[in-house]
Amino acid sequence: MDIFKEKEIREQVTISKEALTEVEEAFRHLYKGQVSQPPVIRVDVPEHRGETDIKTAYIPGFETFAIKVSSGFFDNPKKGLPSLGGLMLAMDSETGVPKALLQDNGYLTDVRTALAGAVAASKLAKTHIKSVGVIGTGMQARLQVEALKLVRSFAQVHVYGRTQEHAKAYKRDMEEAYGVTVQIESDVENVVKASDLIVTTTPSTEPLIQAEWLHPGLHITAMGSDAEHKNELSPNVFEKADLIVGDSKSQVFTIGELHHAAEVREEDVTELGAIVHGDALGRTTDEQITVCDLTGTGVQDTAIANFALRRLSR
């Protein structure tokens, strides 16, 4: 069994158009029903604000399927450690023999999650946007902006963070890395009202975005909720949305934002893969309000793991 460390994985896998295509195709496979993807397994460690998820999926035609273990321990920054971590085990699709261990410390999960946000934005955000709003200041808040640069041009970022210290560090880093102007906002409402596209990236358990703040043309990608107790959007946000999209209907109603939206029915939600495949429409006018609920799927993990292995084996 090959063992690959984080350093070499980072050298071979970046947020790129090639990786974006792999993640986009994963959503197509999921929608077409050609995959075997079991429900997410989660272990909660409440006394340390921690959780560990296990996700996997088999996609026919792929040399391996990934079994991904992903941890989020949200007090870790106080200890000088990253919040997220994990690894992926690639199993041979023909024999079931473990083929490779990707000791990425959660890096591949970060990449595929950011790219999923870019896929959603490419189908649901206005073609021409001026500003992006980001709720949160952690790793995903940074990578989502990097991935968005693959599908949209923008010069302004509005950010809200829990502490001024983190927000100032985010502003400094993002302006230096991506040449954008970052405006630190004092509350979430200001971010919403100033932005054409918003990404929420927090483990919040209480709604951060309220429906009365939404405006025509806005797109929201909510990717922080991947457990029943997490909630970044007020349920009435969906009542104002013209188009509601989810990565997986079987997940968004159990662990996503839509878990809290009792008035939304399954038939009201379009799967992202249906739009990618061309069986459903994304945004059709600049006035629509669109919302995408991303919970993270096993097909994304298998797709990015196979992509990484091809690059690492060259």
Side-chain angles (χ1 to χ4, degrees):
M1 182 175 67
D2 294 321
I3 299 176
F4 298 102
K5 301 291 187 179
E6 180 182 1
K7 182 177 183 296
E8 56 189 324
I9 294 171
R10 284 180 176 270
E11 289 171 351
Q12 293 298 325
V13 180
T14 60
I15 290 179
S16 64
K17 289 193 174 182
E18 293 81 8
L20 177 68
T21 298
E22 297 290 327
V23 173
E24 186 172 66
E25 285 302 302
F27 286 120
R28 189 194 306 275
H29 286 295
L30 181 61
Y31 163 68
K32 291 169 68 178
Q34 299 174 333
V35 308
S36 174
Q37 179 176 277
V40 179
I41 296 173
R42 189 180 79 249
V43 177
D44 291 320
V45 187
E47 61 267 36
H48 298 297
R49 286 191 72 215
E51 62 191 35
T52 295
D53 293 337
I54 300 174
K55 295 180 180 180
T56 184
Y58 163 66
I59 305 175
F62 280 52
E63 290 189 7
T64 70
F65 61 94
I67 300 174
K68 193 273 293 287
V69 179
S70 177
S71 291
F73 278 64
F74 301 105
D75 285 335
N76 276 3
K78 300 175 184 177
K79 304 172 184 177
L81 297 172
S83 296
L84 303 180
L87 52 81
M88 294 189 182
L89 178 63
M91 307 289 289
D92 189 284
S93 294
E94 183 178 350
T95 65
V97 173
K99 188 171 183 179
L101 182 64
L102 297 162
Q103 293 184 320
D104 65 319
N105 293 318
Y107 173 71
L108 291 175
T109 295
D110 284 338
V111 169
R112 65 81 150 149
T113 302
L115 292 170
V119 173
S122 71
K123 306 300 181 184
L124 301 172
K126 293 188 297 184
T127 302
H128 302 290
I129 63 174
K130 294 181 179 178
S131 58
V132 170
V134 180
I135 313 302
T137 56
M139 180 58 69
Q140 201 53 225
R142 297 157 188 261
L143 294 182
Q144 286 285 339
V145 171
E146 181 179 355
L148 283 172
K149 283 286 188 179
L150 296 174
V151 299
R152 291 293 185 272
S153 295
F154 53 92
Q156 181 82 36
V157 174
H158 297 267
V159 66
Y160 171 79
R162 287 185 301 168
T163 70
Q164 276 291 303
E165 179 185 2
H166 291 162
K168 287 178 180 178
Y170 181 89
K171 173 182 171 67
R172 180 187 65 246
D173 295 345
M174 298 301 288
E175 289 183 340
E176 180 178 335
Y178 305 114
V180 294
T181 300
V182 177
Q183 175 68 44
I184 299 173
E185 301 292 355
S186 59
D187 56 42
V188 175
E189 181 177 358
N190 288 341
V191 175
V192 175
K193 291 183 175 179
S195 303
D196 299 308
L197 187 161
I198 295 170
V199 184
T200 62
T201 69
T202 77
S204 177
T205 58
E206 305 220 348
L208 301 173
I209 294 181
Q210 303 299 323
E212 56 266 28
W213 304 340
L214 275 55
H215 54 83
L218 178 65
H219 169 67
I220 300 173
T221 296
M223 49 73 54
S225 180
D226 57 0
E228 297 90 337
H229 61 283
K230 295 182 183 180
N231 188 197
E232 296 184 294
L233 309 182
S234 174
N236 58 8
V237 162
F238 294 102
E239 297 175 15
K240 290 197 68 173
D242 298 294
L243 179 61
I244 303 170
V245 177
D247 53 6
S248 166
K249 286 189 180 183
S250 65
Q251 288 188 186
V252 294
F253 285 102
T254 55
I255 60 174
E257 294 294 333
L258 286 160
H259 172 68
H260 306 279
E263 300 302 314
V264 181
R265 300 164 299 175
E266 187 170 320
E267 55 265 36
D268 298 326
V269 178
T270 301
E271 283 202 341
L272 184 56
I275 299 173
V276 169
H277 191 60
D279 281 355
L281 295 175
R283 176 179 290 271
T284 55
T285 74
D286 280 353
E287 288 69 43
Q288 285 177 303
I289 296 173
T290 57
V291 180
C292 186
D293 189 1
L294 297 180
T295 55
T297 61
V299 292
Q300 294 168 246
D301 297 312
T302 286
I304 201 67
N306 276 267
F307 177 72
L309 288 174
R310 290 199 302 272
R311 306 272 300 187
L312 290 160
S313 302
R314 292 187 303 181

